[in-house]
C-alpha cells in the first residue's frame, strides 16, 4: 500500500531529465508572459534587466533546488523536513499550495490556446479579434477547454515519470524549438518587421530605474524558470547517479531564456509588420491573444498555418509546464498520504481544475491569481530556498559537487545564497508584497461585487 515500499521512480536518461526540466521552464511564461511584460515595461531595457535576473539570481536558486531534490530523493515537503527538520515542513506545504494556485489559472490560459488552435484548423481568424478574445476568455466555453487541457495533463502525469512525463518531453520539446525558430525566421521576412525589432531591442534605461520593474523582472525570471515552489526540486529527486547539476542548471536557464528571447523575435515583428503596434503599447493579459490572431487574419493565406503552428507551440509549452506543476502536487500527495500515483494525480488534478473555474469565468480573478503567485508566493519560496541551502542544509556544497567538474565556484555559490540572494529578494519583495496584496484585495472585493 504505502508508496515507500516501492522503489522511487527514475528518469530513463539524462536527456530525458534535461528536456523535462526545460519543458517545465519553457511555457506560457516565455511565449505569453515575457513578451507582454517586455512590451509593458519599455522593451529592451526590461530584457536586459531580465537577463540579469535569470543568470544572477535564477540560476543559483535552480541549482539550490536541484541539490535539495537529488540529495533527499523526496518530494518537497519531505525533502525540506529531511534536511531541515519539522520546522521546515510548512514551507514545503506552501510550495504545494503555490502549485495548486499556479496550475489552476495556468490551465485556463492553456485552454484558450487549445481553442485558438482549433480555430486555426477550422479556417482561421476572421472577424474582430478583440471580440473573439472576450468570447474565448470567459463563460462556460472557457471552462470546457480548461477541463480538456487539464484532462490531458492529468493523463500524462498518471503515466508516471518515464512513460508519461519523460516521453512527452522527448517528443514535444524538439517540436517546440523548431516551431518557434521557424516562425521567427518567417517573421523576419515580412515587410515592416524592423519596427518590431526596434521596439524590442531599443534600449531606454530610464524605464528600468524603478523597484517595481525590478520586482516584475525577478518574478518573471523565477516564474519562467519554474522556481520557488519545488518543481525543479521534484524533478531532480528522480535523478540517479551524478548528474552535473551546475551544468544542467546552465543548460536549462540558457534554453529557457533563448525561447523567451526568440518568442520576442516572433511576436513583435509579426505585430509591427501588420501595423498593430498600437495594441502592444497598452499591453494586458489578453494583448497577445488579440493582436496576434489579428495579425494572422491579415496575413492572407499564410495566416491560418502560421497561426496554427504558433498555438501548437503555446500548447506544447503549456502542457509540459502544467505537467511539472501537477507532478509537484502529485508526488507530495503520494509521499504524504501514501496514495498511488493514479489516485494522487487524478484527485489533485480534479481539485485544481475546480479551483481554476473562477479564473476561467473572470479575467480579473485570473490576473489576481497570477499577480499573487508571481509577486509574492514564488518570491518568498525562492527566499526560503536560498536560506535553506545557504544556512540550513548540511553538506549542501558536497552534494552540489557530486558529478561536477570544476569545484571553484561552489563556495561562491553558497555565500551568494547566504547573503546576496536573500538581500536581493527582500528588496524585491518590498514592492512585490504590496502588489500581491492589492491583487488579493481586488480579488476579494471583485468576487463579492
Ligand atoms: N515555467 C513555466 C512557464 O514559464 C510555468 C511554471 C511551470 C512554473 N512550473 C512552475 C512557474 C513552477 C513557477 C513554478 O510557463
Amino acid at each position: 500500500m504505502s508508496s515507500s515500499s516501492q522503489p522511487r521512480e527514475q528518469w530513463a536518461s539524462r536527456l530525458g531529465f534535461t528536456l523535462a526540466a526545460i519543458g517545465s521552464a519553457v511555457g506560457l511564461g516565455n511565449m505569453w508572459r515575457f513578451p507582454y511584460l517586455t512590451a509593458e515595461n519599455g522593451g529592451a531595457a526590461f530584457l536586459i534587466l531580465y537577463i540579469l535576473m535569470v543568470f544572477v539570481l535564477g540560476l543559483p536558486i535552480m541549482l539550490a533546488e536541484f541539490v535539495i531534490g537529488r540529495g533527499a530523493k523526496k518530494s518537497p515537503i519531505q525533502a525540506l523536513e529531511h534536511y531541515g527538520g519539522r520546522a521546515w515542513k510548512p514551507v514545503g506545504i506552501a510550495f504545494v499550495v503555490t502549485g495548486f494556485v499556479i496550475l489552476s489559472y495556468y490551465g485556463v490560459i492553456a485552454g484558450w490556446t487549445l481553442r485558438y488552435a482549433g480555430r486555426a484548423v477550422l479556417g482561421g481568424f476572421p472577424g474582430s479579434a478583440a471580440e473573439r478574445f472576450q468570447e474565448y476568455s470567459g463563460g462556460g466555453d472557457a471552462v470546457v477547454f480548461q477541463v480538456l487541457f487539464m484532462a490531458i495533463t492529468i493523463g500524462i502525469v498518471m503515466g508516471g515519470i518515464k512513460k508519461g512525463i519523460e516521453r512527452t518531453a522527448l517528443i514535444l520539446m524538439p517540436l517546440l524549438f523548431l516551431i518557434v525558430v521557424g516562425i521567427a525566421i518567417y517573421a523576419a521576412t515580412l515587410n515592416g518587421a524592423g519596427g518590431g525589432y526596434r521596439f524590442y531591442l531599443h534600449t531606454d534605461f530610464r524605464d528600468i530605474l524603478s523597484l517595481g520593474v525590478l520586482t516584475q523582472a525577478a518574478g518573471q525570471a523565477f516564474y519562467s524558470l519554474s522556481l520557488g515552489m519545488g518543481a525543479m526540486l521534484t524533478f531532480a529527486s528522480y535523478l540517479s547517479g551524478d548528474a552535473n547539476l551546475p551544468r544542467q542548471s546552465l543548460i536549462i536557464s540558457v534554453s529557457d531564456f533563448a525561447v523567451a528571447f526568440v518568442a520576442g523575435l516572433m511576436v513583435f515583428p509579426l505585430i509591427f509588420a501588420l501595423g498593430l503596434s498600437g495594441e502592444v503599447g497598452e499591453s494586458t493579459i489578453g494583448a497577445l491573444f488579440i493582436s496576434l490572431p489579428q495579425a494572422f487574419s491579415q496575413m492572407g493565406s499564410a495566416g491560418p498555418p502560421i497561426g496554427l503552428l504558433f498555438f501548437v507551440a503555446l500548447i506544447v509549452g503549456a502542457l509540459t509546464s502544467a505537467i511539472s506543476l501537477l507532478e509537484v502536487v502529485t508526488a507530495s500527495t503520494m509521499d504524504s498520504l501514501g496514495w498511488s500515483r493514479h489516485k494522487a494525480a487524478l484527485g489533485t488534478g480534479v481539485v485544481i481544475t475546480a479551483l481554476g473555474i473562477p479564473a476561467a469565468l473572470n479575467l480579473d480573478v485570473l490576473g489576481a491569481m497570477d499577480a499573487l503567485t508571481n509577486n509574492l508566493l514564488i518570491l518568498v519560496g525562492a527566499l526560503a530556498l536560498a536560506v535553506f541551502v545557504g544556512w540550513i542544509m548540511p553538506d549542501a556544497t558536497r552534494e552540489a559537487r557530486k558529478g561536477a567538474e570544476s569545484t571553484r565556484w561552489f563556495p561562491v555559490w553558497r555565500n551568494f545564497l547566504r547573503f546576496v540572494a536573500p538581500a536581493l529578494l527582500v528588496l524585491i519583495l518590498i514592492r512585490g508584497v504590496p502588489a500581491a496584496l492589492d491583487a488579493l484585495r481586488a480579488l476579494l472585493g471583485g468576487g463579492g461585487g
Side-chain angles (χ1 to χ4, degrees), residues 263-440:
L265 293 179
M266 86 179 159
V267 164
F268 294 120
L270 275 177
I271 291 174
F272 277 72
L274 292 148
L276 303 169
S277 53
E279 318 208 12
V280 172
E282 45 196 273
S283 184
T284 65
I285 284 182
L288 282 179
F289 285 95
I290 297 171
S291 49
L292 278 174
Q294 178 105 36
F296 298 139
S297 78
Q298 292 177 20
M299 271 161 57
S301 60
I306 298 282
L308 177 62
L309 286 172
F310 176 79
F311 285 110
V312 167
L314 271 179
I315 293 168
V316 167
L319 184 63
T320 50
S321 299
I323 288 170
S324 77
L325 286 158
L326 186 58
E327 177 59 24
V328 172
V329 179
T330 300
S332 304
T333 308
M334 289 164 67
D335 288 355
S336 299
L337 306 180
W339 287 13
S340 71
R341 172 169 285 278
H342 278 192
K343 186 175 167 190
L346 187 62
T348 58
V350 167
V351 173
I352 289 168
T353 309
L355 272 176
I357 290 176
L361 298 175
N362 184 339
L363 212 53
D364 294 334
V365 174
L366 192 155
M369 289 167 95
D370 184 55
L372 178 68
T373 48
N374 289 293
N375 294 324
L376 183 66
L377 296 179
I378 61 176
L379 293 174
V380 174
L383 176 61
L385 286 161
V387 170
F388 189 81
V389 174
W391 297 97
I392 308 290
M393 182 177 167
D395 303 333
T397 318
R398 187 147 57 88
E399 179 60 42
R401 278 205 180 101
K402 275 188 207 154
E405 282 137 24
S406 151
T407 51
R408 255 178 319 158
W409 287 98
F410 291 107
V412 178
W413 168 70
R414 190 115 195 256
N415 281 322
F416 180 84
L417 292 179
R418 281 194 171 145
F419 304 106
V420 185
L424 275 172
L425 280 161
V426 167
L427 184 74
I428 289 163
L429 275 163
I430 290 175
R431 272 305 283 272
V433 173
L437 291 181
D438 279 351
L440 202 58

Side-chain angles (χ1 to χ4, degrees), residues 31-354:
M31 285 174 277
W32 158 71
R33 216 167 173 280
F34 173 76
Y36 116 68
L37 279 182
T38 307
E40 215 171 45
N41 292 296
F46 183 80
L47 181 69
I48 290 169
L49 197 58
Y50 178 70
I51 294 177
L52 273 175
M53 289 298 120
V54 166
F55 291 101
V56 175
L57 206 50
L59 200 150
I61 294 197
M62 183 180 295
L63 180 57
E65 287 209 24
F66 283 165
V67 166
I68 303 172
R70 186 185 64 184
K73 302 234 177 335
K74 291 179 164 71
S75 53
I77 301 174
Q78 280 73 22
L80 292 183
E81 190 184 12
H82 176 82
Y83 286 121
R86 291 265 297 280
W88 281 85
K89 238 179 136 170
V91 176
I93 294 171
F95 285 175
V96 177
V97 171
T98 306
F100 265 86
V101 179
I102 296 181
L103 185 52
S104 55
Y105 79 82
Y106 203 82
V108 173
I109 306 169
W112 304 344
T113 65
L114 270 184
R115 197 164 177 196
Y116 274 102
R119 191 60 254 164
V121 174
L122 294 179
F125 307 93
S128 156
E131 275 169 25
R132 178 174 309 103
F133 178 70
Q134 276 220 321
E135 181 200 332
Y136 280 20
S137 64
D141 287 4
V143 177
V144 172
F145 285 90
Q146 177 219 358
V147 169
L148 185 62
F149 177 83
M150 290 301 298
I152 301 170
T153 305
I154 293 168
I156 292 171
V157 173
M158 282 168 74
I161 298 303
K162 283 193 189 94
K163 292 201 181 119
I165 298 176
E166 181 167 359
R167 192 186 285 169
T168 307
L170 285 169
I171 298 170
L172 292 183
M173 292 315 290
L175 177 72
L176 183 147
F177 295 136
L178 279 178
I179 294 178
V180 173
V181 171
I183 298 182
I185 292 172
Y186 170 79
T189 66
L190 296 174
N191 271 332
Y197 296 130
R198 260 190 303 282
F199 171 76
Y200 185 31
L201 301 173
H202 170 273
T203 311
D204 184 350
F205 284 101
R206 277 167 306 186
D207 292 336
I208 55 171
L209 292 176
S210 95
L211 197 51
V213 178
L214 181 71
T215 303
Q216 296 253 42
Q220 172 62 15
F222 288 122
Y223 182 84
S224 189
L225 296 171
S226 298
L227 299 176
M229 52 143 287
M232 291 300 177
L233 187 163
T234 305
F235 273 10
S237 76
Y238 302 116
L239 276 170
S240 61
D242 300 338
N244 183 333
L245 295 182
R247 185 197 289 156
Q248 292 290 331
S249 309
L250 187 64
I251 292 172
I252 294 159
S253 303
V254 169
S255 309
D256 183 67
F257 173 73
V259 175
F261 183 73
V262 177
L265 293 179
M266 86 179 159
V267 164
F268 294 120
L270 275 177
I271 291 174
F272 277 72
L274 292 148
L276 303 169
S277 53
E279 318 208 12
V280 172
E282 45 196 273
S283 184
T284 65
I285 284 182
L288 282 179
F289 285 95
I290 297 171
S291 49
L292 278 174
Q294 178 105 36
F296 298 139
S297 78
Q298 292 177 20
M299 271 161 57
S301 60
I306 298 282
L308 177 62
L309 286 172
F310 176 79
F311 285 110
V312 167
L314 271 179
I315 293 168
V316 167
L319 184 63
T320 50
S321 299
I323 288 170
S324 77
L325 286 158
L326 186 58
E327 177 59 24
V328 172
V329 179
T330 300
S332 304
T333 308
M334 289 164 67
D335 288 355
S336 299
L337 306 180
W339 287 13
S340 71
R341 172 169 285 278
H342 278 192
K343 186 175 167 190
L346 187 62
T348 58
V350 167
V351 173
I352 289 168
T353 309

